[in-house]
Amino acid sequence: MRKTRLAVFASGSGSNYEAIAEACRDGRLDAEVVLLVCDKPGAKVLERAKRYGTESFAFTPKDYESREAYETVLATMLDERGVDYVCLAGYMRIVGKVLLERYEQRIVNIHPSLLPSFKGAHAIQDAVEYGVKIFGATTHFVDETLDGGRIIDQGAIVYEGNDIEELTNLIHAIEHKLYVKTINKLINKKF
Ligand code: GRF
């Protein structure tokens, strides 16, 4: 049977991309990553994609006239590869209407907080400053709102220390399992 075809969009390190690629490789996911899209040429995720033999496309948004212009290029690449789901994994850009319309309910994101708390780019730091003790990660469908969209899954931990690096690593470990679980739900249409 045809495997589910995934595209991963990332801007940085790509540990979530790697968790997904590894699960595809070892059979925990009946899927394949057919394209890695990166808006930061030189990002570490591109090296990871090379190691896993994933086709990658790195681009510089400023080279395009508008978000619509580069998203039109991306949408064509996704269509050509028969992508079923787009997984945002540390993609530090707003997704615009070109992709949202073409891939409605087929774009998901992972965020390092228990949404709807602590949206935005500094979620872990913000949560620590607020004094919360239960941290976690959330996967959700992407819509036009920032870190909004219907929640698919969450994972949580209790952490009472104050070492941000340690906490970040703990949350990343949750994310890596959570994303695989979420993609399995998408594959089995259980969401
Ligand atoms: C993750 O914490 C994810 O929740 C957030 O960006 C981070 C990406 O990490 N959206 P990585 O590049 O997958 O290692």
Side-chain angles (χ1 to χ4, degrees):
M1 224 175 74
R2 177 185 178 279
K3 286 185 177 198
T4 297
R5 298 170 75 78
L6 307 172
V8 177
F9 284 24
S11 306
S13 159
S15 69
N16 280 285
Y17 154 76
E18 181 156 347
I20 295 167
E22 186 61 37
C24 290
R25 181 182 275 183
D26 70 20
R28 278 174 295 139
L29 280 176
D30 189 20
E32 55 187 318
V33 183
V34 296
L35 185 66
L36 182 274
V37 171
C38 178
D39 63 327
K40 291 256 167 17
K44 188 171 168 191
V45 67
L46 292 163
E47 289 165 33
R48 297 193 202 244
K50 211 173 195 178
R51 265 198 278 122
Y52 279 84
T54 302
E55 180 191 3
S56 60
F57 176 67
F59 72 105
T60 304
K62 277 195 199 136
D63 291 347
Y64 296 80
E65 234 170 55
S66 61
R67 176 175 293 132
E68 285 72 26
Y70 70 71
E71 286 199 346
T72 300
V73 172
L74 297 179
T76 302
M77 293 185 81
L78 299 176
D79 290 349
E80 283 171 354
R81 285 155 187 76
V83 167
D84 298 299
Y85 290 103
V86 174
C87 302
L88 308 184
Y91 179 65
M92 303 303 284
R93 271 183 190 274
I94 304 264
V95 177
K97 68 175 188 328
V98 171
L99 284 173
L100 285 176
E101 278 170 16
R102 189 99 65 104
Y103 281 80
E104 199 184 351
Q105 290 295 295
R106 293 196 291 149
I107 306 178
V108 295
N109 182 41
I110 190 156
H111 182 77
S113 78
L114 293 170
L115 289 172
S117 296
F118 307 111
K119 297 178 177 181
H122 310 287
I124 298 175
Q125 180 77 37
D126 292 347
V128 168
E129 281 171 15
Y130 212 88
V132 309
K133 304 293 176 236
I134 303 174
F135 297 85
T138 303
T139 51
H140 62 93
F141 287 106
V142 175
D143 63 15
E144 64 292 342
T145 60
L146 176 71
D147 297 325
R150 193 159 62 79
I151 288 172
I152 305 169
D153 264 319
Q154 293 186 309
I157 41 157
V158 173
Y159 183 77
E160 299 192 60
N162 54 9
D163 181 339
I164 294 262
E165 201 181 317
E166 178 183 49
L167 174 59
T168 301
N169 289 334
L170 291 169
I171 292 174
H172 273 151
I174 289 179
E175 290 187 328
H176 300 158
K177 289 204 185 99
L178 191 71
Y179 226 153
V180 173
K181 182 177 167 212
T182 294
I183 294 167
N184 263 319
K185 280 193 178 177
L186 297 174
I187 292 172
N188 298 311
K189 309 266 183 257
K190 289 198 172 128
F191 47 82

